[in-house]
mmCIF file of all heavy atoms in Angstrom:
data_model
loop_
_atom_site.group_PDB
_atom_site.id
_atom_site.type_symbol
_atom_site.label_atom_id
_atom_site.label_comp_id
_atom_site.label_asym_id
_atom_site.label_seq_id
_atom_site.Cartn_x
_atom_site.Cartn_y
_atom_site.Cartn_z
ATOM 1 N N GLU S 226 -82.069 42.973 75.732
ATOM 2 C CA GLU S 226 -81.112 42.107 76.393
ATOM 3 C C GLU S 226 -81.599 41.682 77.782
ATOM 4 O O GLU S 226 -81.413 40.528 78.192
ATOM 5 C CB GLU S 226 -79.775 42.839 76.517
ATOM 6 C CG GLU S 226 -79.076 43.035 75.145
ATOM 7 C CD GLU S 226 -77.786 43.812 75.311
ATOM 8 O OE1 GLU S 226 -77.467 44.228 76.446
ATOM 9 O OE2 GLU S 226 -77.065 43.954 74.278
ATOM 10 N N ARG S 227 -82.258 42.547 78.491
ATOM 11 C CA ARG S 227 -82.795 42.208 79.820
ATOM 12 C C ARG S 227 -83.866 41.142 79.710
ATOM 13 O O ARG S 227 -83.965 40.243 80.529
ATOM 14 C CB ARG S 227 -83.330 43.414 80.527
ATOM 15 C CG ARG S 227 -82.240 44.379 80.976
ATOM 16 C CD ARG S 227 -82.851 45.645 81.560
ATOM 17 N NE ARG S 227 -81.838 46.616 81.933
ATOM 18 C CZ ARG S 227 -82.103 47.855 82.349
ATOM 19 N NH1 ARG S 227 -83.358 48.246 82.482
ATOM 20 N NH2 ARG S 227 -81.096 48.649 82.701
ATOM 21 N N SER S 228 -84.731 41.251 78.652
ATOM 22 C CA SER S 228 -85.821 40.322 78.522
ATOM 23 C C SER S 228 -85.343 38.889 78.272
ATOM 24 O O SER S 228 -86.024 37.947 78.489
ATOM 25 C CB SER S 228 -86.746 40.784 77.395
ATOM 26 O OG SER S 228 -86.016 40.751 76.153
ATOM 27 N N LYS S 229 -84.105 38.765 77.738
ATOM 28 C CA LYS S 229 -83.556 37.435 77.532
ATOM 29 C C LYS S 229 -83.219 36.716 78.802
ATOM 30 O O LYS S 229 -83.361 35.480 78.883
ATOM 31 C CB LYS S 229 -82.271 37.537 76.643
ATOM 32 C CG LYS S 229 -82.570 37.971 75.216
ATOM 33 C CD LYS S 229 -81.288 38.037 74.429
ATOM 34 C CE LYS S 229 -81.532 38.509 73.010
ATOM 35 N NZ LYS S 229 -80.279 38.590 72.248
ATOM 36 N N TYR S 230 -82.792 37.429 79.814
ATOM 37 C CA TYR S 230 -82.272 36.792 81.026
ATOM 38 C C TYR S 230 -83.227 36.876 82.196
ATOM 39 O O TYR S 230 -83.010 36.221 83.228
ATOM 40 C CB TYR S 230 -80.943 37.438 81.450
ATOM 41 C CG TYR S 230 -79.882 37.263 80.409
ATOM 42 C CD1 TYR S 230 -79.553 38.314 79.565
ATOM 43 C CD2 TYR S 230 -79.204 36.039 80.259
ATOM 44 C CE1 TYR S 230 -78.583 38.169 78.614
ATOM 45 C CE2 TYR S 230 -78.241 35.903 79.292
ATOM 46 C CZ TYR S 230 -77.917 36.969 78.450
ATOM 47 O OH TYR S 230 -76.958 36.813 77.508
ATOM 48 N N PHE S 231 -84.296 37.669 82.172
ATOM 49 C CA PHE S 231 -85.263 37.791 83.269
ATOM 50 C C PHE S 231 -86.609 37.259 82.868
ATOM 51 O O PHE S 231 -87.008 37.420 81.687
ATOM 52 C CB PHE S 231 -85.369 39.286 83.696
ATOM 53 C CG PHE S 231 -84.093 39.824 84.288
ATOM 54 C CD1 PHE S 231 -83.189 40.554 83.497
ATOM 55 C CD2 PHE S 231 -83.746 39.556 85.605
ATOM 56 C CE1 PHE S 231 -82.020 41.005 84.028
ATOM 57 C CE2 PHE S 231 -82.576 40.084 86.123
ATOM 58 C CZ PHE S 231 -81.720 40.774 85.369
ATOM 59 N N PRO S 232 -87.360 36.631 83.833
ATOM 60 C CA PRO S 232 -88.674 36.041 83.482
ATOM 61 C C PRO S 232 -89.715 37.124 83.201
ATOM 62 O O PRO S 232 -89.634 38.221 83.717
ATOM 63 C CB PRO S 232 -89.022 35.260 84.720
ATOM 64 C CG PRO S 232 -88.303 35.881 85.831
ATOM 65 C CD PRO S 232 -87.028 36.447 85.241
ATOM 66 N N GLU S 233 -90.664 36.703 82.396
ATOM 67 C CA GLU S 233 -91.745 37.603 82.049
ATOM 68 C C GLU S 233 -93.057 37.087 82.702
ATOM 69 O O GLU S 233 -93.253 35.884 82.845
ATOM 70 C CB GLU S 233 -91.965 37.660 80.511
ATOM 71 C CG GLU S 233 -90.745 38.253 79.837
ATOM 72 C CD GLU S 233 -90.909 38.234 78.333
ATOM 73 O OE1 GLU S 233 -91.943 37.697 77.899
ATOM 74 O OE2 GLU S 233 -90.029 38.791 77.626
ATOM 75 N N THR S 240 -95.306 31.876 85.787
ATOM 76 C CA THR S 240 -94.073 32.596 85.350
ATOM 77 C C THR S 240 -93.489 31.873 84.146
ATOM 78 O O THR S 240 -93.567 30.658 84.011
ATOM 79 C CB THR S 240 -93.037 32.638 86.475
ATOM 80 O OG1 THR S 240 -92.737 31.332 86.890
ATOM 81 C CG2 THR S 240 -93.542 33.451 87.623
ATOM 82 N N LYS S 241 -92.872 32.653 83.323
ATOM 83 C CA LYS S 241 -92.250 32.116 82.068
ATOM 84 C C LYS S 241 -90.804 32.509 82.133
ATOM 85 O O LYS S 241 -90.428 33.665 82.308
ATOM 86 C CB LYS S 241 -92.911 32.724 80.826
ATOM 87 C CG LYS S 241 -92.325 32.209 79.531
ATOM 88 C CD LYS S 241 -92.983 32.894 78.384
ATOM 89 C CE LYS S 241 -92.358 32.435 77.075
ATOM 90 N NZ LYS S 241 -92.996 33.103 75.943
ATOM 91 N N PHE S 242 -89.928 31.486 81.984
ATOM 92 C CA PHE S 242 -88.509 31.693 82.016
ATOM 93 C C PHE S 242 -87.966 31.639 80.578
ATOM 94 O O PHE S 242 -88.258 30.726 79.836
ATOM 95 C CB PHE S 242 -87.789 30.644 82.896
ATOM 96 C CG PHE S 242 -88.185 30.754 84.319
ATOM 97 C CD1 PHE S 242 -89.230 30.021 84.821
ATOM 98 C CD2 PHE S 242 -87.511 31.628 85.162
ATOM 99 C CE1 PHE S 242 -89.603 30.088 86.136
ATOM 100 C CE2 PHE S 242 -87.876 31.702 86.509
ATOM 101 C CZ PHE S 242 -88.894 30.928 86.996
ATOM 102 N N ALA S 243 -87.117 32.618 80.315
ATOM 103 C CA ALA S 243 -86.502 32.654 78.981
ATOM 104 C C ALA S 243 -85.055 32.413 79.118
ATOM 105 O O ALA S 243 -84.386 32.995 79.998
ATOM 106 C CB ALA S 243 -86.748 34.045 78.363
ATOM 107 N N PHE S 244 -84.568 31.441 78.348
ATOM 108 C CA PHE S 244 -83.126 31.096 78.398
ATOM 109 C C PHE S 244 -82.535 31.456 77.042
ATOM 110 O O PHE S 244 -83.131 31.194 75.955
ATOM 111 C CB PHE S 244 -82.951 29.609 78.644
ATOM 112 C CG PHE S 244 -83.474 29.208 80.017
ATOM 113 C CD1 PHE S 244 -84.765 28.714 80.174
ATOM 114 C CD2 PHE S 244 -82.675 29.351 81.141
ATOM 115 C CE1 PHE S 244 -85.229 28.341 81.406
ATOM 116 C CE2 PHE S 244 -83.129 28.988 82.375
ATOM 117 C CZ PHE S 244 -84.419 28.485 82.538
ATOM 118 N N ALA S 245 -81.391 32.001 77.136
ATOM 119 C CA ALA S 245 -80.711 32.379 75.905
ATOM 120 C C ALA S 245 -80.131 31.137 75.228
ATOM 121 O O ALA S 245 -79.695 30.228 75.882
ATOM 122 C CB ALA S 245 -79.564 33.359 76.174
#
Side-chain angles (χ1 to χ4, degrees):
E226 290 178 356
R227 288 175 184 175
S228 63
K229 290 180 181 179
Y230 298 102
F231 294 97
E233 296 179 355
T240 58
K241 180 182 178 181
F242 295 93
F244 296 95

